Amino acid sequence: MTTTTDGTADLDGTADLDGTDGGPVLRLESVRKTYGRDTVVLRDVDLEVSPHTVTALIGASGSGKSTLLRCANLLEEIDDGAIFLDGEEITDPRADADAVRRRIGVVFQAYNLFPHMTVLDNITLAPRRVHGVPRTEAEARARDLLERLGLGERAGEYPDRLSGGQQQRVAIVRALAGRPRLLLLDEITAALDPELVGEVLGVVRDLKEDGMTMVIATHEMGFAREVADQVCFLDGGVVLERGTPEQVFGDPQQDRTRRFLERIIAAGRL
């Protein structure tokens, strides 16, 4: 495996040379997001994500994890603060939101595959229509990624012929097909049967080994402990605690973090 000089995992061995290495890939400064007058979802959130690292966002449902990811991809407009991608303020009103999203891959809980398109067409649609990649090149990259994720024989299938785990792997391939600088994963195992969770998490392990920069919102605490370089515990829209997995899971400093993890342990999830 090689990596590009911009820190992007080069999953098919051909580097894109942007020359933006050095600082954090993603930086949030005092980000605040509210719904209506009284519902504050993110409260002055600061976060830095370094190249080739995995940041896991943990916390109870409603703590702000998914909203943070949606703000980072400009799917939600922040009310205050700033978000930077490779040092460029992407929340500046003059920023081209579509251009920003072309540099960020996102995978949600729902697979969101087009049911009337084959796996190959689902994956190549954005590279061809948005990035202007010729069909032959887009299809070659898609087939290579499918092979790497164990789906090489499924290129001509329609989504309803695939299991949930296979559909989620296709969704990950689709996100990777645009050669993203950053990959955001939002509870990607939440909709899966328990026996399918492992195959999807295995893909994320492989991406980490390939050097992909990722931010993951997850309820899979054991997986977060294993794969993350940085763990952020969110509570009430605040990053209440952050650190290495060893620190946050093994020696949490905040009472609220300890109570959360005690419940997770009691439920047999850590």
Side-chain angles (χ1 to χ4, degrees):
M1 191 281 300
T2 60
T3 55
T4 70
T5 58
D6 70 350
T8 306
D10 183 26
L11 296 171
D12 64 354
T14 56
D16 292 332
L17 306 177
D18 288 350
T20 54
D21 211 3
V25 174
L26 179 70
R27 186 169 87 251
L28 279 67
E29 292 185 355
S30 301
V31 169
R32 184 177 180 87
K33 174 64 183 177
T34 62
Y35 292 126
R37 288 186 174 183
D38 303 320
T39 305
V40 181
V41 186
L42 297 176
R43 302 172 184 268
D44 302 321
V45 169
D46 294 316
L47 177 67
E48 285 195 2
V49 178
S50 299
H52 315 306
T53 64
V54 177
T55 294
L57 308 178
I58 66 171
S61 297
S63 60
K65 303 186 301 296
S66 294
T67 300
L68 190 156
L69 294 183
R70 292 179 64 84
C71 289
N73 196 42
L74 305 184
L75 294 173
E76 296 279 359
E77 184 176 345
I78 65 174
D79 296 296
D80 200 3
I83 301 175
F84 299 83
L85 182 65
D86 285 321
E88 173 192 351
E89 185 184 349
I90 61 176
T91 46
D92 187 312
R94 295 166 294 183
D96 184 340
D98 290 334
V100 170
R101 295 189 190 105
R102 287 196 288 270
R103 298 160 62 192
I104 302 176
V106 186
V107 184
F108 297 105
Q109 295 180 34
Y111 322 126
N112 296 321
L113 301 176
F114 293 110
H116 63 290
M117 291 185 177
T118 66
V119 165
L120 189 63
D121 287 339
N122 264 282
I123 295 168
T124 60
L125 180 64
R128 291 189 292 109
R129 297 285 184 86
V130 178
H131 297 273
V133 178
R135 178 183 290 274
T136 54
E137 181 181 338
E139 290 187 351
R141 175 165 172 78
R143 290 184 186 278
D144 178 68
L145 289 169
L146 287 169
E147 286 288 345
R148 293 201 56 186
L149 271 66
L151 295 167
E153 297 180 355
R154 301 291 187 173
E157 298 278 8
Y158 288 89
D160 63 0
R161 299 290 300 274
L162 307 179
S163 70
Q166 289 171 332
Q167 290 187 58
Q168 192 61 290
R169 280 187 284 160
V170 170
I172 293 172
V173 170
R174 181 177 58 184
L176 294 172
R179 302 179 185 272
R181 171 67 165 152
L182 173 68
L183 187 61
L184 308 177
L185 305 175
D186 186 12
E187 301 288 4
I188 59 172
T189 61
L192 298 178
D193 293 333
E195 63 269 23
L196 300 176
V197 170
E199 68 181 63
V200 173
L201 295 183
V203 170
V204 180
R205 288 187 188 94
D206 290 343
L207 292 175
K208 175 181 172 62
E209 291 178 3
D210 283 336
M212 175 61 71
T213 306
M214 293 181 279
V215 182
I216 305 172
T218 184
H219 288 298
E220 301 285 343
M221 296 298 110
F223 179 71
R225 187 172 195 168
E226 171 195 347
V227 77
D229 299 288
Q230 172 181 221
V231 176
C232 298
F233 172 64
L234 276 74
D235 184 61
V238 176
V239 179
L240 195 61
E241 188 157 356
R242 78 185 76 208
T244 65
E246 293 77 16
Q247 175 189 331
V248 174
F249 290 111
D251 187 25
Q253 302 301 300
Q254 301 293 326
D255 289 340
R256 179 69 185 91
T257 313
R258 285 194 288 270
R259 293 197 302 271
F260 171 78
L261 292 175
E262 285 169 0
R263 290 200 300 272
I264 294 296
I265 292 170
R269 293 167 51 199
L270 181 60

